[in-house]
Amino acid sequence: MRARPSSRLLIVNALGQVLLFLFEPKRGGLVGEPYWATPGGALDEGESYAEAACRELREETGLLVNDPGPEVAQRTAIFPLINGEFVRADERFFLIRVEDLSVSNDQWTEVEHRVMTAHRWFSAAELATASDPIFPENLADMLRDAGAWERKA
């Protein structure tokens, strides 16, 4: 099984909501049911987790940062990618606070345009009651532990 180091982004707005993307793999002719997930993706050759976090943030939202700050969480999980390949993912999470963010999909890949069909901001209560799966499964706990729900002055 291939190892897949990746950076994931916990983007939280001024209202304390987290940004998630809806993935609908079947719409793109791929494998899997709809689910919501944090933005992010695999590291490129020679790239650090922090560098990948900045690149993924730019590519998936249009937001430019030079430093994503410290890792706030890490997990290792085995799961299928949307092409059906199972990977052993080493995911590092970075908390990015924004006042407001208008998501741009200008730098999405062809596959992302096909399968990433929506984005929205979720409150802690909405994470708990969502009907579609959300990944990572412990996202609300991860956000709480990272201090994401706390208001910053």
Side-chain angles (χ1 to χ4, degrees):
M1 184 176 308
R2 180 171 67 92
R4 184 178 188 262
S6 61
S7 292
R8 309 297 309 177
L9 305 161
L10 305 174
I11 303 172
V12 177
N13 68 15
L15 299 175
Q17 300 165 318
V18 64
L19 178 66
L20 298 179
F21 287 95
L22 179 61
F23 289 77
E24 295 187 77
K26 286 184 180 175
R27 182 172 171 202
L30 300 166
V31 175
E33 297 302 318
Y35 63 91
W36 292 92
T38 58
L43 274 63
D44 287 343
E45 180 82 24
E47 194 173 42
S48 71
Y49 286 94
E51 290 166 338
C54 292
R55 177 183 50 76
E56 289 289 341
L57 185 62
R58 181 186 74 251
E59 290 175 358
E60 294 191 359
T61 71
L63 182 62
L64 301 173
V65 299
N66 293 323
D67 180 2
E71 292 176 20
V72 296
Q74 186 271 336
R75 80 170 187 152
T76 302
I78 295 173
F79 56 78
L81 300 176
I82 57 175
N83 66 5
E85 175 192 10
F86 275 82
V87 295
R88 179 177 286 107
D90 177 1
E91 298 181 317
R92 309 296 172 93
F93 293 81
F94 296 83
L95 177 61
I96 308 290
R97 291 187 183 278
V98 297
E99 285 300 310
D100 189 25
L101 177 63
S102 179
V103 173
S104 169
N105 63 4
D106 291 345
Q107 295 187 43
W108 288 9
T109 66
E110 177 190 338
V111 171
E112 288 169 336
H113 277 288
R114 286 195 330 243
V115 302
M116 292 168 60
T117 61
H119 68 274
R120 67 170 279 223
W121 298 92
F122 283 79
S123 68
E126 290 168 327
L127 288 176
T129 60
S131 57
D132 289 320
I134 293 178
F135 295 106
E137 297 87 343
N138 66 334
L139 179 58
D141 294 336
M142 191 179 288
L143 288 161
R144 182 196 65 233
D145 293 348
W149 302 130
E150 300 167 10
R151 290 280 237 207
K152 296 295 178 189

